[in-house]
Amino acid sequence: MRTDTPRSALPARDHLLAATADAADPAGAPVLDVVVPVYNEEKDLEPCVLRLHDHLTRTFPYAFRITVADNASTDRTPQVAARLAAAMPRVRSYRLEEKGRGRALRTVWSHSDAPVLAYMDVDLSTDLNALLPLVAPLISGHSDLAIGSRLARSSRVVRGSKREFISRAYNLILRSSLAARFSDAQCGFKAIRREVAQRLLPMVEDTGWFFDTEMLVLAERAGLRIHEVPVDWVDDPDSTVHIVRTATEDLKGVWRVGRALAVGALPLDRLARPFGDDPRDRVLKGVPGGLARQLVGFCVVGALSTLFYLALYSLFRLGVGPQLANGGALLVSAVANTAANRRLTFGVRGRGGAVRHQAQGLVVFAIGLALTSGSLAALGAASGSPSHGTELAVLIAANLAATVLRFLLFRAWVFPDRATGADGADGADRAVMGAGTDRNDRTDRNVMGAGAAADTHHEQGNAR
């Protein structure tokens, strides 16, 4: 998996101001860059670009650009793209020497200067009236990604039963295996904010048709907001997509991504967003960052851990004395509690530092054991042979005290705020990552060619 992304969190989403984007100036930096990936589309390319350009000119209130991403076409597609780019100031053309829709999108999106990036299939199966609703939540700062959905209740779709079955079966697989909540992974009508793309794309490994799915699954798991737009969609009977081969590659991708998520191999915490875009949400005077969210998460995990602990204690108590039952139940629940708080409360993902965190968690466990065991010992000394209900009541009170202490130790010692080391080790890591990113960018720019302002760009080699 590719993980060469900046280590700091994403900034808050900002509304793109209309004053900064002059829709009447074709030479200015666009707000929206619509990429049309093509492979051997000499017949459909020109009608697509002309129709899309006309629609955007008439209806889109911001500056825009249309980028034709030709990935290794062997027909006249490159010549058609070059001619369109020469004739229309808002049209550009990129040429890649390797096939792959995902590769084409990653390359163009990575080098675009537009704050909102989109793509659509060259057949324009999706009604273009959905384009503005697609990108509006990204422009306003409400969402991070947006997708067109053919499976939404209000969508109107015309396609054969075979493709309908395959599409629904594939999305059912995603829901059952990767717990995906978005409704349509493969509709060729999507958009993303550029700062999100800069963090997310290096994590996406696929270069073909599974690129969309992988991008959406990782974004959703990272907690990014995905906006869905119901679309009207008419199937292209001349589509050149090889269904069986594509389905096979998609299933391989589902397995690869599922395995990476299961072992925590992806640094999804680098895609974290601040809560809202109000400055009051970012800095609260005298309140450590994330305290409220961490308290809620810790309370939820703590409540579940307590129920788990009590169930284990009652089970162990059937065969051993109260001290052994308490120690065994507390040990097992402490390991589970540390793992749950590590991921859910304090947002630590991946295997790095997991052993150290568990070791520190066991120290916290020892403190909790001393509190609860001491309480049991005091109860036994005071009443001789207390009832099971009395034991549980005393343990609950002791666990409440241990819980408060556990949260303070977790927050200050086991999982300290990583932002506090921004000028130290983390800063050094970011410098290393930034240097690597700069080298990659320079390499990509050299591959793309020196004529950055030209209408046709040539990339050779692997864009990844």
Side-chain angles (χ1 to χ4, degrees), residues 37-40 69-74 95-107 205-209 240-242 245-246 459 461-464:
V38 291
Y39 173 72
N40 288 349
D70 170 31
N71 45 309
S73 293
T74 57
R95 165 73 177 181
L96 292 90
E97 298 299 336
E98 292 186 80
K99 288 180 61 177
R101 182 180 69 170
R103 177 179 287 110
L105 290 175
R106 177 189 288 116
T107 301
E205 184 173 321
D206 191 78
T207 60
W209 292 94
T240 58
V241 178
H242 194 288
R245 184 170 63 243
T246 301
E459 171 180 299
N462 194 330
R464 293 175 56 200

PDB file of all heavy atoms in Angstrom, residues 37-40 69-74 95-107 205-209 240-242 245-246 459 461-464:
ATOM      1  N   PRO A  37     -11.349  10.702 -18.792  1.00  0.00           N
ATOM      2  CA  PRO A  37     -10.366   9.681 -19.166  1.00  0.00           C
ATOM      3  C   PRO A  37     -10.818   8.919 -20.407  1.00  0.00           C
ATOM      4  O   PRO A  37     -11.983   8.516 -20.498  1.00  0.00           O
ATOM      5  CB  PRO A  37     -10.319   8.770 -17.940  1.00  0.00           C
ATOM      6  CG  PRO A  37     -11.624   8.964 -17.255  1.00  0.00           C
ATOM      7  CD  PRO A  37     -12.097  10.343 -17.577  1.00  0.00           C
ATOM      8  N   VAL A  38      -9.908   8.725 -21.362  1.00  0.00           N
ATOM      9  CA  VAL A  38     -10.298   8.085 -22.625  1.00  0.00           C
ATOM     10  C   VAL A  38      -9.243   7.071 -23.052  1.00  0.00           C
ATOM     11  O   VAL A  38      -8.048   7.218 -22.780  1.00  0.00           O
ATOM     12  CB  VAL A  38     -10.491   9.118 -23.750  1.00  0.00           C
ATOM     13  CG1 VAL A  38     -11.706   9.981 -23.491  1.00  0.00           C
ATOM     14  CG2 VAL A  38      -9.254   9.998 -23.914  1.00  0.00           C
ATOM     15  N   TYR A  39      -9.725   6.054 -23.742  1.00  0.00           N
ATOM     16  CA  TYR A  39      -8.848   5.070 -24.382  1.00  0.00           C
ATOM     17  C   TYR A  39      -9.525   4.649 -25.684  1.00  0.00           C
ATOM     18  O   TYR A  39     -10.613   4.067 -25.685  1.00  0.00           O
ATOM     19  CB  TYR A  39      -8.620   3.863 -23.487  1.00  0.00           C
ATOM     20  CG  TYR A  39      -7.864   2.745 -24.176  1.00  0.00           C
ATOM     21  CD1 TYR A  39      -6.502   2.876 -24.457  1.00  0.00           C
ATOM     22  CD2 TYR A  39      -8.510   1.581 -24.579  1.00  0.00           C
ATOM     23  CE1 TYR A  39      -5.806   1.870 -25.110  1.00  0.00           C
ATOM     24  CE2 TYR A  39      -7.820   0.572 -25.239  1.00  0.00           C
ATOM     25  CZ  TYR A  39      -6.470   0.717 -25.502  1.00  0.00           C
ATOM     26  OH  TYR A  39      -5.784  -0.271 -26.159  1.00  0.00           O
ATOM     27  N   ASN A  40      -8.902   5.028 -26.808  1.00  0.00           N
ATOM     28  CA  ASN A  40      -9.427   4.715 -28.148  1.00  0.00           C
ATOM     29  C   ASN A  40     -10.876   5.191 -28.292  1.00  0.00           C
ATOM     30  O   ASN A  40     -11.792   4.404 -28.549  1.00  0.00           O
ATOM     31  CB  ASN A  40      -9.327   3.216 -28.424  1.00  0.00           C
ATOM     32  CG  ASN A  40      -7.900   2.765 -28.667  1.00  0.00           C
ATOM     33  OD1 ASN A  40      -6.994   3.592 -28.829  1.00  0.00           O
ATOM     34  ND2 ASN A  40      -7.676   1.462 -28.711  1.00  0.00           N
ATOM     35  N   ALA A  69      -7.846  13.110 -20.537  1.00  0.00           N
ATOM     36  CA  ALA A  69      -6.738  12.268 -20.076  1.00  0.00           C
ATOM     37  C   ALA A  69      -6.680  11.026 -20.961  1.00  0.00           C
ATOM     38  O   ALA A  69      -7.401  10.057 -20.741  1.00  0.00           O
ATOM     39  CB  ALA A  69      -6.924  11.880 -18.610  1.00  0.00           C
ATOM     40  N   ASP A  70      -5.816  11.087 -21.952  1.00  0.00           N
ATOM     41  CA  ASP A  70      -5.685   9.977 -22.903  1.00  0.00           C
ATOM     42  C   ASP A  70      -4.662   8.982 -22.358  1.00  0.00           C
ATOM     43  O   ASP A  70      -3.468   9.274 -22.305  1.00  0.00           O
ATOM     44  CB  ASP A  70      -5.251  10.519 -24.264  1.00  0.00           C
ATOM     45  CG  ASP A  70      -4.864   9.415 -25.226  1.00  0.00           C
ATOM     46  OD1 ASP A  70      -5.441   8.313 -25.102  1.00  0.00           O
ATOM     47  OD2 ASP A  70      -3.982   9.639 -26.072  1.00  0.00           O
ATOM     48  N   ASN A  71      -5.129   7.792 -21.956  1.00  0.00           N
ATOM     49  CA  ASN A  71      -4.187   6.814 -21.419  1.00  0.00           C
ATOM     50  C   ASN A  71      -3.903   5.720 -22.447  1.00  0.00           C
ATOM     51  O   ASN A  71      -4.586   4.716 -22.545  1.00  0.00           O
ATOM     52  CB  ASN A  71      -4.673   6.221 -20.093  1.00  0.00           C
ATOM     53  CG  ASN A  71      -6.133   5.819 -20.111  1.00  0.00           C
ATOM     54  OD1 ASN A  71      -7.002   6.610 -20.487  1.00  0.00           O
ATOM     55  ND2 ASN A  71      -6.432   4.606 -19.699  1.00  0.00           N
ATOM     56  N   ALA A  72      -2.860   6.008 -23.249  1.00  0.00           N
ATOM     57  CA  ALA A  72      -2.267   5.033 -24.178  1.00  0.00           C
ATOM     58  C   ALA A  72      -3.188   4.624 -25.319  1.00  0.00           C
ATOM     59  O   ALA A  72      -3.169   3.473 -25.759  1.00  0.00           O
ATOM     60  CB  ALA A  72      -1.792   3.796 -23.415  1.00  0.00           C
ATOM     61  N   SER A  73      -3.971   5.555 -25.844  1.00  0.00           N
ATOM     62  CA  SER A  73      -4.799   5.245 -27.011  1.00  0.00           C
ATOM     63  C   SER A  73      -3.922   4.921 -28.211  1.00  0.00           C
ATOM     64  O   SER A  73      -2.844   5.497 -28.392  1.00  0.00           O
ATOM     65  CB  SER A  73      -5.716   6.422 -27.348  1.00  0.00           C
ATOM     66  OG  SER A  73      -6.689   6.616 -26.339  1.00  0.00           O
ATOM     67  N   THR A  74      -4.408   4.008 -29.051  1.00  0.00           N
ATOM     68  CA  THR A  74      -3.662   3.615 -30.252  1.00  0.00           C
ATOM     69  C   THR A  74      -4.344   4.072 -31.528  1.00  0.00           C
ATOM     70  O   THR A  74      -3.843   3.813 -32.622  1.00  0.00           O
ATOM     71  CB  THR A  74      -3.492   2.084 -30.281  1.00  0.00           C
ATOM     72  OG1 THR A  74      -4.785   1.463 -30.232  1.00  0.00           O
ATOM     73  CG2 THR A  74      -2.658   1.609 -29.095  1.00  0.00           C
ATOM     74  N   ARG A  95      -1.430  13.242 -22.175  1.00  0.00           N
ATOM     75  CA  ARG A  95      -1.166  11.958 -22.818  1.00  0.00           C
ATOM     76  C   ARG A  95      -0.338  11.090 -21.877  1.00  0.00           C
ATOM     77  O   ARG A  95       0.727  11.493 -21.409  1.00  0.00           O
ATOM     78  CB  ARG A  95      -0.419  12.173 -24.137  1.00  0.00           C
ATOM     79  CG  ARG A  95       0.229  10.931 -24.732  1.00  0.00           C
ATOM     80  CD  ARG A  95      -0.777   9.967 -25.320  1.00  0.00           C
ATOM     81  NE  ARG A  95      -0.130   8.819 -25.949  1.00  0.00           N
ATOM     82  CZ  ARG A  95      -0.761   7.842 -26.559  1.00  0.00           C
ATOM     83  NH1 ARG A  95      -2.085   7.884 -26.643  1.00  0.00           N
ATOM     84  NH2 ARG A  95      -0.103   6.845 -27.109  1.00  0.00           N
ATOM     85  N   LEU A  96      -0.836   9.891 -21.563  1.00  0.00           N
ATOM     86  CA  LEU A  96      -0.094   8.928 -20.763  1.00  0.00           C
ATOM     87  C   LEU A  96       0.233   7.729 -21.637  1.00  0.00           C
ATOM     88  O   LEU A  96      -0.562   7.345 -22.498  1.00  0.00           O
ATOM     89  CB  LEU A  96      -0.902   8.471 -19.555  1.00  0.00           C
ATOM     90  CG  LEU A  96      -1.157   9.513 -18.462  1.00  0.00           C
ATOM     91  CD1 LEU A  96      -2.444  10.284 -18.728  1.00  0.00           C
ATOM     92  CD2 LEU A  96      -1.243   8.838 -17.097  1.00  0.00           C
ATOM     93  N   GLU A  97       1.379   7.157 -21.413  1.00  0.00           N
ATOM     94  CA  GLU A  97       1.822   6.032 -22.245  1.00  0.00           C
ATOM     95  C   GLU A  97       1.442   4.675 -21.657  1.00  0.00           C
ATOM     96  O   GLU A  97       1.815   3.647 -22.211  1.00  0.00           O
ATOM     97  CB  GLU A  97       3.345   6.102 -22.435  1.00  0.00           C
ATOM     98  CG  GLU A  97       3.817   7.362 -23.147  1.00  0.00           C
ATOM     99  CD  GLU A  97       3.244   7.505 -24.558  1.00  0.00           C
ATOM    100  OE1 GLU A  97       2.868   6.475 -25.149  1.00  0.00           O
ATOM    101  OE2 GLU A  97       3.160   8.643 -25.042  1.00  0.00           O
ATOM    102  N   GLU A  98       0.711   4.667 -20.536  1.00  0.00           N
ATOM    103  CA  GLU A  98       0.251   3.418 -19.937  1.00  0.00           C
ATOM    104  C   GLU A  98      -1.252   3.479 -19.724  1.00  0.00           C
ATOM    105  O   GLU A  98      -1.803   4.530 -19.414  1.00  0.00           O
ATOM    106  CB  GLU A  98       0.951   3.160 -18.608  1.00  0.00           C
ATOM    107  CG  GLU A  98       2.428   2.852 -18.738  1.00  0.00           C
ATOM    108  CD  GLU A  98       3.021   2.468 -17.387  1.00  0.00           C
ATOM    109  OE1 GLU A  98       2.840   1.311 -16.970  1.00  0.00           O
ATOM    110  OE2 GLU A  98       3.639   3.335 -16.761  1.00  0.00           O
ATOM    111  N   LYS A  99      -1.899   2.310 -19.884  1.00  0.00           N
ATOM    112  CA  LYS A  99      -3.341   2.248 -19.721  1.00  0.00           C
ATOM    113  C   LYS A  99      -3.725   2.272 -18.242  1.00  0.00           C
ATOM    114  O   LYS A  99      -2.909   2.065 -17.369  1.00  0.00           O
ATOM    115  CB  LYS A  99      -3.884   0.973 -20.375  1.00  0.00           C
ATOM    116  CG  LYS A  99      -3.873   0.968 -21.882  1.00  0.00           C
ATOM    117  CD  LYS A  99      -4.437  -0.330 -22.427  1.00  0.00           C
ATOM    118  CE  LYS A  99      -5.885  -0.522 -21.993  1.00  0.00           C
ATOM    119  NZ  LYS A  99      -6.487  -1.752 -22.569  1.00  0.00           N
ATOM    120  N   GLY A 100      -5.001   2.535 -18.007  1.00  0.00           N
ATOM    121  CA  GLY A 100      -5.535   2.512 -16.650  1.00  0.00           C
ATOM    122  C   GLY A 100      -6.282   3.783 -16.318  1.00  0.00           C
ATOM    123  O   GLY A 100      -5.681   4.864 -16.273  1.00  0.00           O
ATOM    124  N   ARG A 101      -7.601   3.668 -16.105  1.00  0.00           N
ATOM    125  CA  ARG A 101      -8.380   4.860 -15.765  1.00  0.00           C
ATOM    126  C   ARG A 101      -7.909   5.458 -14.450  1.00  0.00           C
ATOM    127  O   ARG A 101      -7.798   6.687 -14.307  1.00  0.00           O
ATOM    128  CB  ARG A 101      -9.865   4.513 -15.684  1.00  0.00           C
ATOM    129  CG  ARG A 101     -10.742   5.721 -15.385  1.00  0.00           C
ATOM    130  CD  ARG A 101     -12.202   5.360 -15.312  1.00  0.00           C
ATOM    131  NE  ARG A 101     -12.524   4.554 -14.154  1.00  0.00           N
ATOM    132  CZ  ARG A 101     -13.768   4.273 -13.766  1.00  0.00           C
ATOM    133  NH1 ARG A 101     -14.788   4.734 -14.479  1.00  0.00           N
ATOM    134  NH2 ARG A 101     -13.992   3.530 -12.706  1.00  0.00           N
ATOM    135  N   GLY A 102      -7.644   4.594 -13.459  1.00  0.00           N
ATOM    136  CA  GLY A 102      -7.164   5.104 -12.180  1.00  0.00           C
ATOM    137  C   GLY A 102      -5.847   5.830 -12.305  1.00  0.00           C
ATOM    138  O   GLY A 102      -5.626   6.866 -11.678  1.00  0.00           O
ATOM    139  N   ARG A 103      -4.944   5.298 -13.129  1.00  0.00           N
ATOM    140  CA  ARG A 103      -3.651   5.957 -13.356  1.00  0.00           C
ATOM    141  C   ARG A 103      -3.858   7.335 -13.982  1.00  0.00           C
ATOM    142  O   ARG A 103      -3.208   8.312 -13.602  1.00  0.00           O
ATOM    143  CB  ARG A 103      -2.768   5.095 -14.249  1.00  0.00           C
ATOM    144  CG  ARG A 103      -1.432   5.752 -14.585  1.00  0.00           C
ATOM    145  CD  ARG A 103      -0.570   4.858 -15.464  1.00  0.00           C
ATOM    146  NE  ARG A 103      -0.015   3.735 -14.701  1.00  0.00           N
ATOM    147  CZ  ARG A 103      -0.376   2.469 -14.845  1.00  0.00           C
ATOM    148  NH1 ARG A 103      -1.301   2.149 -15.746  1.00  0.00           N
ATOM    149  NH2 ARG A 103       0.170   1.516 -14.118  1.00  0.00           N
ATOM    150  N   ALA A 104      -4.761   7.425 -14.953  1.00  0.00           N
ATOM    151  CA  ALA A 104      -5.019   8.706 -15.612  1.00  0.00           C
ATOM    152  C   ALA A 104      -5.586   9.724 -14.623  1.00  0.00           C
ATOM    153  O   ALA A 104      -5.160  10.887 -14.593  1.00  0.00           O
ATOM    154  CB  ALA A 104      -5.980   8.498 -16.779  1.00  0.00           C
ATOM    155  N   LEU A 105      -6.546   9.307 -13.805  1.00  0.00           N
ATOM    156  CA  LEU A 105      -7.145  10.234 -12.849  1.00  0.00           C
ATOM    157  C   LEU A 105      -6.134  10.684 -11.799  1.00  0.00           C
ATOM    158  O   LEU A 105      -6.063  11.873 -11.457  1.00  0.00           O
ATOM    159  CB  LEU A 105      -8.345   9.572 -12.174  1.00  0.00           C
ATOM    160  CG  LEU A 105      -9.566   9.341 -13.069  1.00  0.00           C
ATOM    161  CD1 LEU A 105     -10.644   8.571 -12.322  1.00  0.00           C
ATOM    162  CD2 LEU A 105     -10.125  10.666 -13.575  1.00  0.00           C
ATOM    163  N   ARG A 106      -5.348   9.740 -11.280  1.00  0.00           N
ATOM    164  CA  ARG A 106      -4.352  10.112 -10.279  1.00  0.00           C
ATOM    165  C   ARG A 106      -3.366  11.134 -10.847  1.00  0.00           C
ATOM    166  O   ARG A 106      -2.997  12.112 -10.192  1.00  0.00           O
ATOM    167  CB  ARG A 106      -3.592   8.888  -9.783  1.00  0.00           C
ATOM    168  CG  ARG A 106      -2.489   9.266  -8.792  1.00  0.00           C
ATOM    169  CD  ARG A 106      -1.589   8.107  -8.444  1.00  0.00           C
ATOM    170  NE  ARG A 106      -2.269   7.148  -7.610  1.00  0.00           N
ATOM    171  CZ  ARG A 106      -2.550   5.898  -7.946  1.00  0.00           C
ATOM    172  NH1 ARG A 106      -2.198   5.467  -9.153  1.00  0.00           N
ATOM    173  NH2 ARG A 106      -3.160   5.093  -7.118  1.00  0.00           N
ATOM    174  N   THR A 107      -2.915  10.909 -12.075  1.00  0.00           N
ATOM    175  CA  THR A 107      -1.914  11.793 -12.670  1.00  0.00           C
ATOM    176  C   THR A 107      -2.462  13.205 -12.865  1.00  0.00           C
ATOM    177  O   THR A 107      -1.838  14.192 -12.456  1.00  0.00           O
ATOM    178  CB  THR A 107      -1.453  11.230 -14.022  1.00  0.00           C
ATOM    179  OG1 THR A 107      -0.905   9.921 -13.829  1.00  0.00           O
ATOM    180  CG2 THR A 107      -0.396  12.125 -14.647  1.00  0.00           C
ATOM    181  N   GLU A 205      -3.959   2.205  -4.323  1.00  0.00           N
ATOM    182  CA  GLU A 205      -2.990   1.406  -5.059  1.00  0.00           C
ATOM    183  C   GLU A 205      -3.439   1.062  -6.469  1.00  0.00           C
ATOM    184  O   GLU A 205      -2.625   0.956  -7.379  1.00  0.00           O
ATOM    185  CB  GLU A 205      -2.700   0.121  -4.280  1.00  0.00           C
ATOM    186  CG  GLU A 205      -1.626  -0.746  -4.890  1.00  0.00           C
ATOM    187  CD  GLU A 205      -1.260  -1.912  -3.990  1.00  0.00           C
ATOM    188  OE1 GLU A 205      -1.198  -1.697  -2.762  1.00  0.00           O
ATOM    189  OE2 GLU A 205      -1.048  -3.019  -4.509  1.00  0.00           O
ATOM    190  N   ASP A 206      -4.732   0.868  -6.678  1.00  0.00           N
ATOM    191  CA  ASP A 206      -5.219   0.405  -7.974  1.00  0.00           C
ATOM    192  C   ASP A 206      -5.065   1.486  -9.043  1.00  0.00           C
ATOM    193  O   ASP A 206      -5.187   2.686  -8.767  1.00  0.00           O
ATOM    194  CB  ASP A 206      -6.691   0.002  -7.875  1.00  0.00           C
ATOM    195  CG  ASP A 206      -7.171  -0.735  -9.108  1.00  0.00           C
ATOM    196  OD1 ASP A 206      -6.869  -1.927  -9.237  1.00  0.00           O
ATOM    197  OD2 ASP A 206      -7.832  -0.103  -9.952  1.00  0.00           O
ATOM    198  N   THR A 207      -4.804   1.057 -10.276  1.00  0.00           N
ATOM    199  CA  THR A 207      -4.659   1.989 -11.401  1.00  0.00           C
ATOM    200  C   THR A 207      -5.723   1.775 -12.470  1.00  0.00           C
ATOM    201  O   THR A 207      -5.693   2.430 -13.494  1.00  0.00           O
ATOM    202  CB  THR A 207      -3.275   1.831 -12.057  1.00  0.00           C
ATOM    203  OG1 THR A 207      -3.130   0.478 -12.536  1.00  0.00           O
ATOM    204  CG2 THR A 207      -2.166   2.137 -11.072  1.00  0.00           C
ATOM    205  N   GLY A 208      -6.655   0.850 -12.208  1.00  0.00           N
ATOM    206  CA  GLY A 208      -7.676   0.540 -13.205  1.00  0.00           C
ATOM    207  C   GLY A 208      -9.062   0.931 -12.740  1.00  0.00           C
ATOM    208  O   GLY A 208      -9.284   1.990 -12.163  1.00  0.00           O
ATOM    209  N   TRP A 209     -10.023   0.013 -12.938  1.00  0.00           N
ATOM    210  CA  TRP A 209     -11.420   0.314 -12.649  1.00  0.00           C
ATOM    211  C   TRP A 209     -11.748   0.262 -11.170  1.00  0.00           C
ATOM    212  O   TRP A 209     -12.748   0.858 -10.731  1.00  0.00           O
ATOM    213  CB  TRP A 209     -12.321  -0.664 -13.419  1.00  0.00           C
ATOM    214  CG  TRP A 209     -12.278  -0.470 -14.889  1.00  0.00           C
ATOM    215  CD1 TRP A 209     -11.481  -1.123 -15.778  1.00  0.00           C
ATOM    216  CD2 TRP A 209     -13.028   0.488 -15.648  1.00  0.00           C
ATOM    217  NE1 TRP A 209     -11.701  -0.641 -17.047  1.00  0.00           N
ATOM    218  CE2 TRP A 209     -12.648   0.342 -17.002  1.00  0.00           C
ATOM    219  CE3 TRP A 209     -13.991   1.438 -15.325  1.00  0.00           C
ATOM    220  CZ2 TRP A 209     -13.188   1.102 -18.019  1.00  0.00           C
ATOM    221  CZ3 TRP A 209     -14.537   2.204 -16.333  1.00  0.00           C
ATOM    222  CH2 TRP A 209     -14.138   2.043 -17.661  1.00  0.00           C
ATOM    223  N   THR A 240     -16.868  -0.424 -24.097  1.00  0.00           N
ATOM    224  CA  THR A 240     -15.785  -1.385 -24.352  1.00  0.00           C
ATOM    225  C   THR A 240     -15.287  -2.050 -23.070  1.00  0.00           C
ATOM    226  O   THR A 240     -14.277  -2.737 -23.084  1.00  0.00           O
ATOM    227  CB  THR A 240     -14.603  -0.665 -25.033  1.00  0.00           C
ATOM    228  OG1 THR A 240     -14.156   0.406 -24.189  1.00  0.00           O
ATOM    229  CG2 THR A 240     -15.023  -0.102 -26.389  1.00  0.00           C
ATOM    230  N   VAL A 241     -15.987  -1.845 -21.943  1.00  0.00           N
ATOM    231  CA  VAL A 241     -15.551  -2.432 -20.674  1.00  0.00           C
ATOM    232  C   VAL A 241     -15.747  -3.947 -20.718  1.00  0.00           C
ATOM    233  O   VAL A 241     -16.828  -4.443 -21.043  1.00  0.00           O
ATOM    234  CB  VAL A 241     -16.348  -1.837 -19.496  1.00  0.00           C
ATOM    235  CG1 VAL A 241     -15.921  -2.501 -18.189  1.00  0.00           C
ATOM    236  CG2 VAL A 241     -16.132  -0.335 -19.422  1.00  0.00           C
ATOM    237  N   HIS A 242     -14.695  -4.695 -20.384  1.00  0.00           N
ATOM    238  CA  HIS A 242     -14.746  -6.158 -20.324  1.00  0.00           C
ATOM    239  C   HIS A 242     -15.277  -6.546 -18.944  1.00  0.00           C
ATOM    240  O   HIS A 242     -14.564  -6.461 -17.941  1.00  0.00           O
ATOM    241  CB  HIS A 242     -13.360  -6.748 -20.558  1.00  0.00           C
ATOM    242  CG  HIS A 242     -13.380  -8.218 -20.832  1.00  0.00           C
ATOM    243  ND1 HIS A 242     -13.655  -9.150 -19.846  1.00  0.00           N
ATOM    244  CD2 HIS A 242     -13.170  -8.934 -21.968  1.00  0.00           C
ATOM    245  CE1 HIS A 242     -13.605 -10.364 -20.347  1.00  0.00           C
ATOM    246  NE2 HIS A 242     -13.314 -10.266 -21.641  1.00  0.00           N
ATOM    247  N   ARG A 245     -13.465  -9.609 -16.824  1.00  0.00           N
ATOM    248  CA  ARG A 245     -12.128  -9.243 -16.368  1.00  0.00           C
ATOM    249  C   ARG A 245     -12.191  -8.144 -15.314  1.00  0.00           C
ATOM    250  O   ARG A 245     -11.469  -8.192 -14.306  1.00  0.00           O
ATOM    251  CB  ARG A 245     -11.271  -8.803 -17.555  1.00  0.00           C
ATOM    252  CG  ARG A 245      -9.831  -8.493 -17.146  1.00  0.00           C
ATOM    253  CD  ARG A 245      -8.931  -8.293 -18.355  1.00  0.00           C
ATOM    254  NE  ARG A 245      -9.327  -7.151 -19.159  1.00  0.00           N
ATOM    255  CZ  ARG A 245      -9.735  -7.224 -20.428  1.00  0.00           C
ATOM    256  NH1 ARG A 245      -9.810  -8.396 -21.029  1.00  0.00           N
ATOM    257  NH2 ARG A 245     -10.086  -6.142 -21.101  1.00  0.00           N
ATOM    258  N   THR A 246     -13.057  -7.161 -15.538  1.00  0.00           N
ATOM    259  CA  THR A 246     -13.188  -6.073 -14.582  1.00  0.00           C
ATOM    260  C   THR A 246     -13.707  -6.584 -13.240  1.00  0.00           C
ATOM    261  O   THR A 246     -13.216  -6.184 -12.167  1.00  0.00           O
ATOM    262  CB  THR A 246     -14.133  -4.991 -15.130  1.00  0.00           C
ATOM    263  OG1 THR A 246     -13.621  -4.484 -16.354  1.00  0.00           O
ATOM    264  CG2 THR A 246     -14.281  -3.850 -14.137  1.00  0.00           C
ATOM    265  N   GLU A 459       3.340  12.145 -20.602  1.00  0.00           N
ATOM    266  CA  GLU A 459       3.940  11.498 -19.438  1.00  0.00           C
ATOM    267  C   GLU A 459       4.416  10.115 -19.861  1.00  0.00           C
ATOM    268  O   GLU A 459       3.697   9.393 -20.495  1.00  0.00           O
ATOM    269  CB  GLU A 459       2.911  11.349 -18.304  1.00  0.00           C
ATOM    270  CG  GLU A 459       3.483  10.480 -17.207  1.00  0.00           C
ATOM    271  CD  GLU A 459       2.510  10.295 -16.078  1.00  0.00           C
ATOM    272  OE1 GLU A 459       2.147  11.295 -15.478  1.00  0.00           O
ATOM    273  OE2 GLU A 459       2.166   9.143 -15.825  1.00  0.00           O
ATOM    274  N   GLY A 461       6.391   6.537 -18.424  1.00  0.00           N
ATOM    275  CA  GLY A 461       6.715   5.808 -17.201  1.00  0.00           C
ATOM    276  C   GLY A 461       5.492   5.689 -16.328  1.00  0.00           C
ATOM    277  O   GLY A 461       4.403   6.083 -16.705  1.00  0.00           O
ATOM    278  N   ASN A 462       5.707   5.183 -15.205  1.00  0.00           N
ATOM    279  CA  ASN A 462       4.629   4.905 -14.284  1.00  0.00           C
ATOM    280  C   ASN A 462       4.308   6.148 -13.469  1.00  0.00           C
ATOM    281  O   ASN A 462       5.154   6.663 -12.776  1.00  0.00           O
ATOM    282  CB  ASN A 462       5.059   3.767 -13.348  1.00  0.00           C
ATOM    283  CG  ASN A 462       3.881   3.217 -12.609  1.00  0.00           C
ATOM    284  OD1 ASN A 462       2.928   3.957 -12.355  1.00  0.00           O
ATOM    285  ND2 ASN A 462       3.934   1.949 -12.275  1.00  0.00           N
ATOM    286  N   ALA A 463       3.058   6.615 -13.534  1.00  0.00           N
ATOM    287  CA  ALA A 463       2.669   7.817 -12.812  1.00  0.00           C
ATOM    288  C   ALA A 463       2.606   7.590 -11.327  1.00  0.00           C
ATOM    289  O   ALA A 463       2.549   8.505 -10.556  1.00  0.00           O
ATOM    290  CB  ALA A 463       1.303   8.300 -13.310  1.00  0.00           C
ATOM    291  N   ARG A 464       2.599   6.352 -10.940  1.00  0.00           N
ATOM    292  CA  ARG A 464       2.569   6.064  -9.522  1.00  0.00           C
ATOM    293  C   ARG A 464       3.926   6.179  -8.889  1.00  0.00           C
ATOM    294  O   ARG A 464       4.049   6.151  -7.687  1.00  0.00           O
ATOM    295  CB  ARG A 464       2.015   4.646  -9.284  1.00  0.00           C
ATOM    296  CG  ARG A 464       0.560   4.516  -9.668  1.00  0.00           C
ATOM    297  CD  ARG A 464       0.073   3.103  -9.544  1.00  0.00           C
ATOM    298  NE  ARG A 464       0.324   2.632  -8.172  1.00  0.00           N
ATOM    299  CZ  ARG A 464       0.362   1.373  -7.861  1.00  0.00           C
ATOM    300  NH1 ARG A 464       0.177   0.445  -8.743  1.00  0.00           N
ATOM    301  NH2 ARG A 464       0.597   1.005  -6.619  1.00  0.00           N
TER     302      ARG A 464
END
